[in-house]
């Protein structure tokens, strides 16, 4: 592929990445929300009485100004301290205006499903901004997760600790799980409730393939994570000893056990029951007491926008894995067949999305092994290795696939069925290619000098020792020379070739005649 075409492909891929980067929401703090379109006018009530609202975009207003307006408008939910208590340092006031008489309080709901990633952090950020705009009494997080990326988890916890409204975390639906990273979110919430059939725990940090982190590094990671869990439990008045055991010993609890051991605040059957159970509790928001008012609240559902849906899709390990393979295949096709353009652009774009718009942590050694596997697969087609290169490529692909998302502090893993499906498909393809190559080799030569020598021909124009003539074989007329004279119609055999001229010799015993062309000149 020439330099100009390669530059064109690279520019197209860069343009797509820039468009995706502009579409991605910013990562500002949840308090950076202010004026914007009236969310109430864009809402539509459903049959259950809930209200759906568009995702909150980061705006340029000031949360403290909004809170002050709310305080001036009516009575506050904040429980005032005793007059003798010394005033605390200035902090942004919570949005604490109760709803007018006759109107139900508002609660914004956001869902956290599957693995916790940067997308989850963006959802919490925008949901908190929407809660500020809606003058909501609380943010309700409905969570079911096996864990997630440590950096994203820490960012979400920071947002919850500094949230301008109470955060109610509900581990649901039935059979839900708050594992690993979900434990820290449960400890950080102002109010945490569990569906009776859910469970919580197992927050021990692990290394690639799920094994313990050995040596001094393992001790440092475990100690740091345990200290973080203890500090969160102390801040929210929860069971500090259990929080430490969840990290060091991977202990887990049922909903009933979690309530009994003061790990969570109670159980609830559904969202409406969770709002009833949270109502009336006094929590601390922005270093001030806040009485939660959620009984009979109108629930505003936080909806994902196009950008959030896109990045949520890119948070799927299976999709990222397939994009990586498609990118390698597209670039290979473009280099093998310069000028096709489309495979090169698609391949560069796919790789650009995986690496440039990185929503999941990637293991560089896993990437290297997958790249090496691609090189070995391509070499197998051109090098006679009796399948050794292909087998080595499959081994590198499987190992690299398992390592691809194995990053310390991340619970993201690629499903084994995806890895083995791809490995078996590629193995079957290599076996099919090998079978075809062996079959072609057994057929012998079908072109070139090796194919011509030995062919039976018929003279269609007399050949003299000092003058070339014409012979016909395999559907083609050839210029021919011979050591002796050959008359027209005589059968002969090709014994050599020089450029576009063949050398022939008389054929004493010909079995099958060679039909000459219908017209001769």
């Amino acid at each position: 592929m020439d330099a100009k075409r390669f530059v064109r492909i690279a520019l197209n891929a860069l343009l797509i990445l820039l468009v995706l980067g502009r579409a991605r929401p910013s990562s500002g703090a949840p308090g950076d929300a202010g004026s914007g379109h009236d969310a109430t006018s864009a809402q539509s009530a459903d049959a259950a009485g809930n209200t759906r609202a568009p995702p909150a975009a980061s705006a340029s207003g000031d949360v403290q100004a909004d809170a002050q307006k709310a305080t001036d408008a009516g009575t506050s939910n904040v429980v005032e301290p005793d007059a003798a208590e010394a005033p605390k340092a200035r902090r942004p006031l919570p949005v604490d205006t109760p709803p007018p008489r006759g109107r139900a309080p508002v609660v914004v709901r956001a869902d956290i499903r599957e693995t916790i990633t940067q997308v989850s952090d963006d959802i919490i950020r925008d949901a908190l901004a929407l809660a500020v705009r809606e003058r909501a009494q609380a943010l309700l997080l409905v969570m079911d997760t096996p864990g997630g990326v440590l950096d994203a988890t820490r960012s979400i916890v920071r947002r919850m600790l500094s949230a301008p409204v109470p955060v109610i975390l509900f581990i649901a639906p039935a059979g839900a799980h708050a594992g690993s990273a979900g434990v820290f979110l449960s400890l950080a919430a102002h109010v945490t409730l569990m569906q009776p059939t859910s469970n919580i725990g197992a927050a021990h940090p692990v290394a690639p393939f799920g094994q313990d982190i050995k040596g001094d590094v393992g001790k440092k990671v475990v100690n740091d994570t345990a200290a973080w869990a203890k500090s969160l439990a102390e801040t929210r008045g929860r069971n500090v000893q259990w929080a430490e055991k969840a990290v060091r010993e991977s202990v887990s609890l049922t909903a009933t056990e979690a309530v009994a051991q003061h790990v969570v605040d109670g159980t609830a059957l559904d969202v409406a029951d969770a709002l009833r159970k949270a109502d009336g509790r006094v929590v601390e928001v922005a270093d001030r007491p806040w009485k939660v008012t959620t009984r009979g609240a109108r629930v505003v559902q936080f909806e994902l926008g196009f950008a959030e849906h896109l990045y949520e899709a890119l948070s799927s390990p299976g999709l990222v894995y397939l994009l990586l393979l498609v990118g390698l295949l597209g670039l290979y096709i473009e280099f093998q067949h310069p000028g096709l353009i489309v495979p090169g652009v698609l391949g560069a774009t796919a790789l650009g999305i995986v690496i440039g718009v990185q929503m999941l942590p990637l293991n560089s050694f896993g990437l290297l092994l997958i790249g090496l596997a691609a090189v070995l697969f391509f070499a197998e087609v051109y090098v006679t290795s009796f399948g050794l290169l292909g087998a080595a490529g499959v081994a590198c692909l499987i190992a690299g696939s398992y390592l691809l998302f194995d990053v310390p502090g991340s619970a993201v893993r690629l499903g084994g069925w995806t890895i083995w499906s791809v490995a078996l498909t590629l193995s079957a393809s290599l076996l099919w290619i090998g079978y075809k190559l062996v079959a072609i080799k057994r057929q012998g030569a079908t072109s070139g000098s090796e194919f011509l020598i030995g062919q039976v021909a018929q003279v269609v124009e007399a050949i003299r020792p000092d003058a070339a003539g014409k012979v016909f074989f395999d559907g083609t007329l050839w210029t021919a020379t011979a050591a002796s004279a050959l008359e027209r119609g005589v059968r002969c055999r090709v014994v050599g070739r020089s450029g576009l001229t063949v050398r022939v010799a008389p054929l004493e015993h010909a079995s099958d005649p060679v039909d000459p062309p219908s017209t001769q000149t």
Side-chain angles (χ1 to χ4, degrees):
M1 181 168 53
D2 57 30
K4 186 181 296 185
R5 185 174 293 110
F6 181 80
V7 170
R8 188 186 304 119
I9 293 173
L11 290 176
N12 289 335
L14 180 61
L15 178 61
I16 294 174
L17 289 179
L18 289 175
V19 172
L20 290 175
R22 291 177 63 86
R24 184 175 180 179
S26 62
S27 57
D32 297 336
S35 60
H37 295 292
D38 187 1
T40 306
S41 63
Q43 299 165 353
S44 58
D46 57 20
N50 293 349
T51 304
R52 299 184 177 273
S58 297
S60 59
D62 183 21
V63 172
Q64 186 171 358
D66 285 344
Q68 190 61 49
K69 291 179 183 178
T71 303
D72 296 340
T75 307
S76 172
N77 289 61
V78 174
V79 180
E80 294 296 338
D82 295 337
E85 182 180 348
K88 296 184 178 180
R90 288 187 178 182
R91 296 272 183 125
L93 296 177
V95 182
D96 51 15
T97 303
R101 291 183 179 181
R103 291 185 59 183
V106 175
V107 171
V108 172
R109 170 181 172 173
D111 295 340
I112 300 178
R113 295 284 183 262
E114 302 301 333
T115 303
I116 294 175
T117 63
Q118 182 59 44
V119 176
S120 308
D121 184 29
D122 293 343
I123 290 174
I124 303 302
R125 179 202 64 202
D126 292 345
L128 283 169
L130 177 61
V132 171
R133 293 211 320 265
E134 288 286 328
R135 301 283 190 258
Q137 301 300 302
L139 170 64
L140 175 65
L141 298 180
V142 181
M143 184 179 72
D144 178 14
T145 177
V149 181
L150 182 60
D151 290 342
T153 304
R154 286 187 177 273
S155 179
I156 293 174
V157 167
R158 285 193 292 268
R159 296 185 191 280
M160 296 172 71
L161 294 176
S162 61
V165 297
V167 177
I168 304 170
L169 190 140
F170 182 32
I171 302 172
H177 174 45
S180 191
V183 172
F184 301 102
L185 270 60
S186 302
L187 294 174
H190 295 89
V191 180
T192 301
L193 302 169
M194 297 179 66
Q195 213 279 343
T197 58
S198 61
N199 65 293
I200 183 174
H204 184 76
V206 295
F209 298 106
Q211 72 271 25
D212 289 335
I213 305 175
K214 304 295 184 181
D216 293 336
V217 175
K219 292 180 181 179
K220 290 180 181 180
V221 173
V222 172
N223 289 338
D224 179 69
T225 309
W228 184 38
K230 289 170 61 179
S231 67
L232 293 177
E234 289 174 355
T235 300
R236 297 305 188 200
R238 297 197 166 97
N239 191 326
V240 176
Q241 290 74 24
W242 182 88
E244 183 176 10
K245 284 185 178 181
V247 174
R248 296 189 183 277
E249 304 175 17
S250 292
V251 296
S252 296
L253 296 174
T254 64
T256 304
E257 293 170 339
V259 174
Q261 298 187 31
H262 304 290
V263 175
V264 299
D265 301 301
T267 61
L269 297 176
D270 51 28
V271 169
D273 191 29
L275 296 179
R276 286 193 297 269
K277 297 291 180 65
D279 183 69
R281 296 177 183 269
V282 177
V283 298
E284 189 176 87
V285 177
D287 290 341
R288 299 184 64 184
W290 175 305
K291 185 177 181 180
V292 179
T293 305
T294 54
R295 183 179 293 273
R298 177 173 61 90
V299 178
V300 177
Q301 178 70 52
F302 174 79
E303 294 288 353
L304 298 180
F306 172 77
E308 287 84 359
H309 278 297
L310 174 63
Y311 286 103
E312 186 178 44
L314 293 177
S315 296
S316 169
L319 179 59
V320 171
Y321 181 59
L322 293 178
L323 283 174
L324 180 61
L325 297 181
V326 169
L328 293 173
L329 179 62
L331 291 183
Y332 169 74
I333 294 176
E334 182 65 33
F335 279 107
Q336 287 295 110
H337 305 281
L340 294 180
I341 303 298
V342 174
V345 171
L346 291 179
T349 302
L351 289 178
I353 291 175
V354 172
I355 300 174
V357 192
Q358 187 173 339
M359 299 303 300
L360 295 174
L362 298 178
N363 186 307
S364 56
F365 185 61
L367 279 173
L368 180 63
L369 285 176
I370 292 177
L372 178 60
V375 173
L376 292 174
F377 287 143
F378 300 152
E380 175 65 26
V381 179
Y382 301 102
V383 178
T384 303
S385 66
F386 303 99
L388 293 179
L389 291 177
V394 171
C396 289
L397 176 66
I398 294 174
S401 301
Y402 273 109
L403 290 172
L404 185 60
F405 299 105
D406 281 327
V407 177
S410 172
V412 178
R413 294 293 182 271
L414 188 62
W417 67 270
T418 303
I419 296 174
W420 287 102
S421 296
V422 172
L424 291 175
T425 301
L426 289 176
S427 299
S429 301
L430 290 175
L431 289 175
W432 181 81
I433 293 174
Y435 169 77
K436 288 295 184 180
L437 291 176
V438 171
I440 292 173
K441 192 172 184 65
R442 288 178 176 176
Q443 289 179 355
T446 57
S447 62
S449 298
E450 293 182 357
F451 169 72
L452 295 178
I453 296 175
Q455 293 288 324
V456 176
Q458 185 170 357
V459 179
V460 296
E461 183 179 314
I463 302 174
R464 299 289 182 263
D466 56 349
K470 298 286 186 182
V471 297
F472 177 81
F473 66 94
D474 195 34
T476 307
L477 280 173
W478 287 81
T479 301
T481 61
S484 59
L486 296 175
E487 300 298 331
R488 179 178 179 181
V490 173
R491 297 177 183 83
C492 58
R493 186 182 300 275
V494 178
V495 295
R497 175 188 175 186
S498 176
L500 297 179
T501 302
V502 295
R503 297 191 306 276
V504 297
L507 182 65
E508 299 296 335
H509 304 285
S511 56
D512 297 320
V514 180
D515 295 330
S518 56
T519 59
Q520 302 293 336
T521 58

